[in-house]
Amino acid sequence: MKFQAPIYPVESWSITETEFSEKLNYRNETTFALSNGYLGTRGTFVEGYDFDVDTGLEGNFINGFYESEHVRYGEWNYGFPTMSQSLLNLPDCKRVEIYMDGERFDLRRGRILSYGRTLHMNQGIVTREVEWESDSGKQVRFCSCQLVCLSRKNLMALKLSVTPLNFSGNIKFVSKLDADVENHTRKTNPLVDYGPFGRCINPDVIGSKDHRFFYQGTTRNSGLTMACAAAHRCNGEAVYDVGELGACITYTIPVEVNSNAELTKYIAYSSSLDMPIEKLEGFLMSVLDTAEADGFAVLLNEQKVAMDDFWQAADIQIDGDEALQQGLRFNLFHIMQSAGRDGKTGMGAKGLSGEGYEGHYFWDTEMYVLPVFIWTNPELAKQLLLYRYHTLPQARERAKVLGHPIGALYPWRTINGEEASTYFPLGTAQYHINGDIAYAVWQYYEATGDYAFLRDYGAEMLVETARVFADVGGFAECRGGKYCICAVTGPDEYNAIVDNNLYTNLLAQENLYAALRSLEILGADADRLNITVEEKAFWKKVADNMYLPYDEKLGVYLQDDGFMMRKPYDENSIPEDKRHLLYENYHPLFVYRQRMSKQADAIYGLQLLSDRFTNEELLRNYEFYQTVTLHHSSLSTSIFGMLACRVGKVEDACRYFSESARMDLDDYHENFYAGIHAANMAGTWQSIVFGFAGLRRVNGVPEFAPILPEGWKGYAFSIRYQGSLLKVYVSSNGAVFTLENEKPITFCIRDHKVTLKEKGDTCHETV
Ligand code: BGC
């Protein structure tokens, strides 16, 4: 496990970069990335530096907006996806070059007198304050404030101010639109061979007038059209310049020493995914009109309100460890801002913070991120689930391609709902995605009691995913007539195309039971789904007879049927510098034949369903999988940490937790430049709530088993459960549960039931 000194100063509500560093620029661009789930922009410098592909990436993204390339295979098989999907890096509207009497404000030259850039996690903004001296000795103070509006889907804004400190002269702002942009595929997705390479958007319209510029363009292959525009507020005269792939507006402002020149820029994006092409320009102009009329201060205020609202339920306070506190808030901030929230978009494994993983959505959303929102911000959770609902038609088509006459098979990785994974052993074979989505739907229903969602969307998803699980396997005589699922890949990507992956079988079983249960709850409200009595009986038979591979001698559940047959992994036979990069140095078959796991797999299933196993069983499994898991995926440690709490290995849990809490902030994986690790970020919230506080659902009822890690004075968090807001505070004096609103709540603390009826009611437990 890796630990290192904090990169940024330890502060509980902010992240501050204290020096300008070209070397660390690429990574810092991700740290300071801002988003609202629809628009995302990397933390690049507005004054614009042309970093090369190894040192920086200007990145602006619209969630769901992608380019497709034809995928060429050396050998093609039926059902391989033929068109790729890559989140497209879009034209940049942020750039404002600054000149002082003709000399450019450029931190790579001259002398930096003071420097600070801060992400304010309680305000949802990034500010920068720099004092700098040019080569000729001109000193200026530069201040900027940027935000991507959480309450206005299409809008971001920035405000700049430049103050001459030892001269009077002309400050020139050159605000630019740059449409000559491309993805950095070779750097950000080096394994991808098909691109996109080069500029993918052809310009349709570009123009500039009335302090605004506008651009509209259409992709080469996916046929999607995007548009962006910016409005400027500046007390100087505007000079316009427009080219085929760029536009700029220049303002020159005479300024006295110690007074400032200011520019406010409102930037809006939209695309044909949301409206007919001919409406784009008018729509963006109206977004800008409203923004200008309201002004920057109103946007700042709205942002604060949105952040307060988020933190009210989602914040976790750790008393006694500020570094962990900072890591945790950083993680929560990034996942909150990355989640699609219009019901039409999901959430990328990297959010909208970079091009990594081509912007694809994976199981990371349902199994890592969604629980956080389900228990703190159910509306956001619902929007992400609706995205999956709306892509059911593509999943139904995919099930047919895979030979399932009915049902839906969700894609392993996707943007538009179609399968985009081109290496099926680590892609389409991960059938557990169906079980993951179903698990999230059911968890959402149980935690919110949202009957309308279950009736209108949820049950259909449960039924369609269950149908595939009822078709994919068979009752095998050699396994005592039990239902076996062969040729799938579990979460662990170092073991591919296996038989009876424990995690998959467990989640398939849960999926089938949840489908049956939802039909029972809905009664006649589910008639439109036309499920026959025979079909339901068959699902029950499959679920009741699900095979769970078990090694009698070891007393552990096996990750899959063949796990113990594989060669014991000898890490010493692998040179140290190659150990973390197995796929880059070894053929996949070499990897698949070793008895080890890249990430939490079997134990994830056991953790999710821990109430079905005894603590002794869980402990034996935990200890076994500790010895064979390499944690080469960022999705691993948080799961081990949670199970460690359940089996009383609190010291282990603390170690796992520290690693996941600061993994991205301190760049443990050395690839933060390509984007956040959203799953792990969300995993840290889970580590506290499902781990240390032991929250799980037992027969649909929340149950806590709180413990206090050594060295912590206490921790506090809130959950929303069926309309109730419950605050939990755990300290050495015990655990205090307080009802924070008027909706009564019943839950269990270990094995006894508690009901809090009125706002302010509390219950106290020893830990
Ligand atoms: C992990 C997957 C994960 C993906 C995206 C892979 O390295 O093995 O479980 O879904 O990354 O985060």
Side-chain angles (χ1 to χ4, degrees):
M1 265 187 216
K2 206 164 172 177
F3 295 102
Q4 61 193 43
I7 291 178
Y8 307 97
V10 172
E11 301 166 293
S12 50
W13 277 108
S14 34
I15 312 295
T16 302
E17 175 195 51
T18 52
E19 60 181 319
F20 172 78
S21 159
E22 282 186 72
K23 211 169 122 247
L24 300 175
N25 173 65
Y26 211 157
R27 180 203 72 203
N28 289 333
E29 286 177 359
T30 307
T31 306
F32 295 98
L34 289 174
S35 166
N36 63 5
Y38 176 73
L39 281 183
T41 187
R42 285 176 59 78
T44 48
F45 295 100
V46 285
E47 66 270 28
Y49 302 120
D50 294 316
F51 291 113
D52 63 26
V53 291
D54 291 316
T55 47
L57 169 73
E58 179 55 62
N60 295 282
F61 310 99
I62 290 180
N63 198 352
F65 194 92
Y66 64 93
E67 174 61 320
S68 285
E69 297 288 339
H70 181 70
V71 181
R72 281 166 44 135
Y73 295 90
E75 275 183 57
W76 185 82
N77 255 71
Y78 179 77
F80 285 13
T82 52
M83 293 307 285
S84 69
Q85 300 159 44
S86 304
L87 181 72
L88 204 51
N89 202 335
L90 303 179
D92 171 33
C93 293
K94 280 188 308 193
R95 192 161 173 152
V96 183
E97 288 169 11
I98 298 162
Y99 296 86
M100 303 127 39
D101 288 338
E103 217 177 345
R104 186 158 172 201
F105 174 73
D106 181 341
L107 298 179
R108 293 167 302 178
R109 312 183 50 133
R111 205 155 61 92
I112 295 174
L113 308 173
S114 68
Y115 181 91
R117 171 162 59 161
T118 304
L119 166 65
H120 304 265
M121 297 184 285
N122 50 357
Q123 295 173 62
I125 56 172
V126 169
T127 58
R128 189 154 55 108
E129 216 176 302
V130 182
E131 288 190 355
W132 176 80
E133 185 180 83
S134 71
D135 285 339
S136 74
K138 287 202 167 66
Q139 293 184 353
V140 284
R141 181 179 311 118
F142 166 93
C143 299
S144 71
C145 178
Q146 272 177 268
L147 72 158
V148 177
C149 299
L150 290 161
S151 49
R152 305 185 190 205
K153 174 173 171 176
N154 305 84
L155 189 71
M156 52 175 145
L158 55 97
K159 187 168 182 167
L160 308 180
S161 116
V162 176
T163 313
L165 298 177
N166 63 354
F167 69 100
S168 299
N170 281 333
I171 300 295
K172 192 161 80 177
F173 291 121
V174 184
S175 173
K176 294 199 164 172
L177 181 158
D178 177 13
D180 193 12
V181 297
E182 58 185 84
N183 282 43
H184 283 189
T185 307
R186 287 269 177 252
K187 172 79 181 173
T188 49
N189 289 292
L191 304 178
V192 167
D193 181 51
Y194 44 74
F197 300 118
R199 180 171 50 81
C200 294
I201 301 182
N202 292 325
D204 302 327
V205 186
I206 184 161
S208 184
K209 60 175 182 186
D210 300 334
H211 302 277
R212 291 184 179 187
F213 45 61
F214 173 79
Y215 169 89
Q216 184 174 307
T218 303
T219 62
R220 288 188 309 218
N221 302 320
S222 64
L224 298 175
T225 297
M226 59 74 57
C228 53
H232 301 76
R233 281 287 167 115
C234 185
N235 51 2
E237 205 183 312
V239 177
Y240 301 89
D241 189 10
V242 182
E244 201 204 347
L245 290 170
C248 76
I249 306 181
T250 304
Y251 295 94
T252 306
I253 308 139
V255 188
E256 295 295 315
V257 65
N258 285 327
S259 51
N260 56 352
E262 278 187 2
L263 173 79
T264 307
K265 193 168 177 181
Y266 302 97
I267 300 167
Y269 285 79
S270 188
S271 86
S272 57
L273 288 164
D274 275 357
M275 66 192 73
I277 294 168
E278 53 292 356
K279 295 226 155 116
L280 283 169
E281 184 168 358
F283 172 75
L284 290 188
M285 291 306 142
S286 70
V287 170
L288 295 177
D289 288 345
T290 325
E292 281 197 276
D294 289 342
F296 198 76
V298 167
L299 300 184
L300 278 180
N301 196 37
E302 282 179 10
Q303 197 76 349
K304 177 81 177 91
V305 170
M307 289 313 305
D308 285 349
D309 194 43
F310 168 71
W311 290 118
Q312 192 212 355
D315 190 28
I316 294 186
Q317 289 126 35
I318 299 179
D319 196 1
D321 197 324
E322 207 183 359
L324 291 180
Q325 175 74 75
Q326 183 185 33
L328 195 49
R329 289 206 175 117
F330 180 68
N331 293 347
L332 287 169
F333 177 78
H334 270 286
I335 62 159
M336 177 282 298
Q337 64 165 0
S338 304
R341 57 201 70 191
D342 58 6
K344 293 192 268 185
T345 49
M347 172 163 166
K350 304 271 176 202
L352 292 168
S353 66
E355 292 177 2
Y357 281 127
E358 297 172 84
H360 289 167
Y361 318 143
F362 294 77
W363 73 311
D364 306 38
T365 314
E366 281 74 21
M367 295 312 292
Y368 288 80
V369 175
L370 263 173
V372 183
F373 296 147
I374 286 174
W375 292 94
T376 61
N377 190 339
E379 182 51 36
L380 198 47
K382 180 168 148 193
Q383 295 306 317
L384 285 167
L385 288 172
L386 284 177
Y387 158 75
R388 292 294 193 181
Y389 177 78
H390 290 130
T391 56
L392 261 178
Q394 295 91 311
R396 287 193 179 103
E397 275 309 300
R398 188 68 183 155
K400 290 204 176 66
V401 171
L402 269 290
H404 306 295
I406 51 171
L409 177 63
Y410 278 102
W412 172 243
R413 49 192 292 176
T414 188
I415 293 175
N416 68 7
E418 289 167 16
E419 179 64 275
S421 126
T422 51
Y423 182 57
F424 76 91
L426 301 188
T428 302
Q430 298 206 42
Y431 266 54
H432 66 87
I433 183 74
N434 260 20
D436 303 328
I437 292 171
Y439 185 87
V441 166
W442 191 246
Q443 187 180 188
Y444 171 81
Y445 172 69
E446 281 196 340
T448 60
D450 186 346
Y451 182 86
F453 174 81
L454 189 68
R455 181 194 57 210
D456 299 340
Y457 312 106
E460 195 173 336
M461 293 158 85
L462 293 172
V463 159
E464 289 295 69
T465 46
R467 281 177 160 157
V468 163
F469 279 131
D471 183 63
V472 67
F475 298 97
E477 247 178 68
C478 62
R479 289 287 185 274
K482 292 278 184 188
Y483 191 79
C484 294
I485 299 179
C486 296
V488 293
T489 298
D492 168 27
E493 296 191 344
Y494 283 170
N495 288 280
I497 318 284
V498 299
D499 297 335
N500 290 316
N501 170 256
L502 180 82
Y503 178 90
T504 308
N505 288 14
L506 279 172
L507 285 216
Q509 190 180 38
E510 287 296 299
N511 189 162
L512 289 153
Y513 283 138
L516 286 165
R517 186 82 190 96
S518 69
L519 296 178
E520 230 174 84
I521 292 169
L522 292 175
D525 274 348
D527 285 354
R528 72 177 179 93
L529 298 174
N530 287 325
I531 315 293
T532 62
V533 175
E534 292 73 31
E535 194 175 11
K536 284 194 274 186
F538 185 68
W539 293 351
K540 178 150 176 12
K541 183 173 167 203
V542 171
D544 287 348
N545 290 287
M546 188 63 72
Y547 178 72
L548 304 179
Y550 188 74
D551 186 305
E552 295 287 347
K553 215 164 121 207
L554 293 172
V556 302
Y557 286 94
L558 294 177
Q559 190 172 301
D560 61 77
D561 273 1
F563 197 71
M564 295 312 290
M565 284 190 290
R566 282 170 216 136
K567 195 170 155 175
Y569 182 56
D570 175 15
E571 195 169 63
N572 295 327
S573 68
I574 314 269
E576 220 177 309
D577 57 327
K578 296 189 173 162
R579 284 181 197 161
H580 274 78
L581 302 166
L582 290 182
Y583 280 137
E584 283 168 38
N585 294 293
Y586 296 89
H587 191 280
L589 288 174
F590 172 88
V591 177
Y592 302 160
R593 290 178 184 138
Q594 315 289 323
R595 192 194 307 150
M596 48 73 165
S597 314
K598 174 186 179 191
Q599 64 200 98
D601 185 308
I603 73 134
Y604 197 4
L606 300 177
Q607 157 62 18
L608 290 173
L609 306 169
S610 62
D611 58 315
R612 286 174 47 178
F613 305 93
T614 65
N615 264 12
E616 291 71 46
E617 273 180 311
L618 294 175
L619 179 61
R620 271 200 308 277
N621 282 278
Y622 169 79
E623 284 183 331
F624 174 74
Y625 285 105
Q626 282 243 91
T627 63
V628 291
T629 308
L630 305 179
H631 303 298
H632 284 184
S633 159
S634 62
L635 281 72
S636 199
T637 42
S638 58
I639 310 303
F640 270 79
M642 283 186 264
L643 196 60
C645 289
R646 181 71 54 201
V647 299
K649 297 272 181 188
V650 187
E651 235 174 80
D652 288 6
C654 289
R655 249 185 321 114
Y656 284 124
F657 178 68
S658 325
E659 175 151 358
S660 25
R662 294 192 59 96
M663 186 184 286
D664 273 349
L665 196 49
D666 291 333
D667 198 10
Y668 290 163
H669 285 248
E670 290 170 6
N671 59 6
F672 195 48
Y673 70 86
I676 60 168
H677 297 90
N680 171 69
M681 286 180 147
T684 56
W685 180 95
Q686 293 197 34
S687 303
I688 301 269
V689 178
F690 301 158
F692 295 123
L695 173 64
R696 63 181 179 185
R697 289 164 296 133
V698 181
N699 302 320
V701 178
E703 179 200 277
F704 294 91
I707 50 176
L708 180 70
E710 232 185 77
W712 291 17
K713 291 197 194 100
Y715 59 93
F717 64 89
S718 304
I719 56 153
R720 292 189 194 279
Y721 175 72
Q722 302 199 350
S724 308
L725 181 63
L726 181 72
K727 181 151 188 170
V728 182
Y729 177 59
V730 183
S731 72
S732 53
N733 295 327
V736 182
F737 297 80
T738 310
L739 181 60
E740 299 265 290
N741 65 1
E742 277 76 31
K743 177 94 198 296
I745 182 170
T746 297
F747 56 96
C748 291
I749 306 174
R750 297 200 172 83
D751 51 8
H752 76 269
K753 224 177 208 164
V754 179
T755 299
L756 299 180
K757 292 208 176 96
E758 287 182 17
K759 188 172 174 184
D761 277 2
T762 62
C763 144
H764 191 278
E765 261 314 292
T766 46
V767 290

